[in-house]
Amino acid sequence: MKKADVFVIASIIVFILSLAYITALGGLGPLPPINVRRIAINYLNLTYNTFTPYLTVFALESVTSIVWDFRGLDTLYETAVFYAAIIASIALYRGVYMDFKKNTEKTGLSPIAKTVTRISLILIPTVSASVALHGHLTPGGGFQAGSIATVVIVLSIIIFSRYFLPIHGLSKNKALLFRSIGLLGIAITSIALLLIAIVLGVNAYIFQNQAKIDAPLSFPSLVDNYILGGSLLFFNLFEFIAVAFGFTIVFLLLSISEEKVKKVTMDG
Amino acid sequence: MLEIFTLTLLTLFAITSVVAAYLAIRERDLVKAVVYSAIQSAMYALIYYVLMAPDIVLVYIPVSVGLIPAVLLFVIKKTERYEGD
């Protein structure tokens, strides 16, 4: 590092610290209140509250409750944006096919790196499954678990080779199939109670989790003393599948060699 | 006492992230720049953890330290590694 760099970094730090000091003194407008706001108090009160059975979620994790129940539709549309982006990347790579090269022994990094990665290939999916399936009890959820699981895909592409996943049966089309199953699961979970209500002839809402005053149906929230959080478990599980395989598609497409992609996309 | 400790930790993480961000911008070797950027993201993840947002930490670590550098490395492989004048 040069002397000039040190000087610039020091001056940036001094600038930021003085800006923080001015902000803390209230020089850049009024400071936000430090006590808990009313909407937050309501969320915290209603996340798991057996005394208000028509308003609660019956899940222990308030963030997941907000994401998939209180503000469920917001999350659905965010999910839709993410999947539209993946569809766009698939459309960009249309006509490009992944090649299968049988011998993967000589490709990839050293045997040390491969052995370490083989251990993580089991450990990381275990962590991601626990994050997904416990998302309604402890911090975590579908998107978190899906992105953790994708690290395995990236590792196996970089450490072994880009032929490793297709040879072991995870092609782009299969990932697309699993992603669609995840999306379908989210869609069915969001209207499941509505469909049952139409059959039974009672009232229900889209994205309904627990029973409301005028809508008596609800997802199971407690099975054998185990808190399920109603629809949150299903949403987390399907979002996990959809996100993990959505990212997998992107990385499989990115790993195709540039010459091949250029040949297909430039020649039309 | 605990509050001062927390604030000191936050300041340290924040300052380290600023240094990493500056080095990521200055670096001409793009692979090294990606590593600096990952260090900056790791500091942000620690800040989220200290500020008691474990849900964000769980998504921030794999995305910003694992996936985004991977995407950037793939992209750098498709162009040139060193930034020209």
Side-chain angles (χ1 to χ4, degrees):
Chain A
M1 212 189 302
K2 289 178 201 163
K3 266 185 187 171
D5 284 342
V6 177
F7 180 73
V8 173
I9 289 173
S11 46
I12 291 174
I13 289 171
V14 169
F15 173 70
I16 289 174
L17 286 179
S18 48
L19 201 65
Y21 188 62
I22 293 168
T23 314
L25 289 179
L28 297 177
L31 294 173
I34 53 168
N35 44 348
V36 184
R37 282 180 293 171
R38 262 183 65 194
I39 186 165
I41 291 172
N42 280 333
Y43 281 143
L44 291 172
N45 274 339
L46 295 174
T47 299
Y48 191 94
N49 193 342
T50 47
F51 298 107
T52 53
Y54 291 122
L55 293 172
T56 181
V57 185
F58 285 124
L60 292 178
E61 233 276 303
S62 55
V63 175
T64 309
S65 307
I66 293 167
V67 165
W68 279 119
D69 193 330
F70 292 120
R71 316 281 303 166
L73 273 177
D74 286 15
T75 315
L76 185 72
Y77 292 132
E78 281 166 21
T79 313
V81 170
F82 177 66
Y83 298 123
I86 285 169
I87 290 290
S89 68
I90 295 172
L92 275 178
Y93 278 76
R94 67 192 180 281
V96 182
Y97 294 101
M98 303 186 66
D99 44 356
F100 292 84
K101 203 164 109 185
K102 284 288 166 203
N103 188 11
T104 52
E105 288 295 316
K106 288 176 185 169
T107 53
L109 300 187
S110 70
I112 301 170
K114 283 185 179 175
T115 312
V116 173
T117 313
R118 282 202 182 94
I119 299 169
S120 355
L121 284 187
I122 301 169
L123 293 180
I124 297 175
T126 316
V127 171
S128 63
S130 85
V131 169
L133 297 174
H134 271 236
H136 55 288
L137 302 175
T138 52
F143 193 86
Q144 286 91 328
S147 46
I148 291 172
T150 319
V151 174
V152 170
I153 306 293
V154 175
L155 273 181
S156 57
I157 288 174
I158 291 174
I159 305 285
F160 292 100
S161 72
R162 64 165 175 265
Y163 309 107
F164 180 77
L165 289 172
I167 285 174
H168 287 79
L170 186 64
S171 62
K172 187 200 86 185
N173 288 339
K174 207 174 267 181
L176 195 61
L177 174 74
F178 279 113
R179 190 205 71 125
S180 305
I181 290 173
L183 275 185
L184 201 66
I186 293 174
I188 290 174
T189 312
S190 61
I191 57 168
L193 286 186
L194 197 65
L195 294 177
I196 298 170
I198 290 171
V199 174
L200 296 178
V202 292
N203 199 13
Y205 297 101
I206 293 177
F207 253 87
Q208 186 178 337
N209 181 5
Q210 297 302 318
K212 302 284 172 279
I213 289 174
D214 55 346
L217 295 176
S218 62
F219 276 97
S221 60
L222 195 72
V223 172
D224 196 18
N225 271 337
Y226 184 79
I227 297 165
L228 288 181
S231 62
L232 301 191
L233 180 68
F234 301 105
F235 276 131
N236 275 339
L237 185 65
F238 289 124
E239 174 89 356
F240 166 51
I241 296 171
V243 167
F245 286 101
F247 274 133
T248 304
I249 294 170
V250 172
F251 280 102
L252 283 175
L253 290 177
L254 271 176
S255 69
I256 300 173
S257 73
E258 180 72 4
E259 290 79 31
K260 204 173 167 189
V261 177
K262 264 189 185 160
K263 202 177 160 195
V264 175
T265 48
M266 296 293 176
D267 297 348
Chain B
M1 191 65 200
L2 189 69
E3 196 179 346
I4 293 173
F5 177 68
T6 314
L7 290 176
T8 317
L9 266 185
L10 278 179
T11 316
L12 275 179
F13 293 149
I15 287 174
T16 317
S17 79
V18 168
V19 173
Y22 175 76
L23 291 176
I25 294 167
R26 284 283 295 177
E27 186 60 54
R28 296 203 166 235
D29 184 350
L30 293 178
V31 175
K32 278 188 191 170
V34 168
V35 174
Y36 284 131
S37 162
I39 292 172
Q40 181 218 1
S41 307
M43 289 303 133
Y44 280 4
L46 287 171
I47 289 175
Y48 281 128
Y49 188 72
V50 173
L51 289 177
M52 287 189 266
D55 294 84
I56 309 293
V57 176
L58 278 175
V59 74
Y60 203 83
I61 289 179
V63 167
S64 69
V65 184
L67 304 184
I68 291 177
V71 170
L72 290 176
L73 287 177
F74 276 125
V75 174
I76 289 169
K77 192 169 170 286
K78 288 173 195 285
T79 62
E80 290 169 357
R81 181 171 167 175
Y82 294 95
E83 211 174 355
D85 287 323

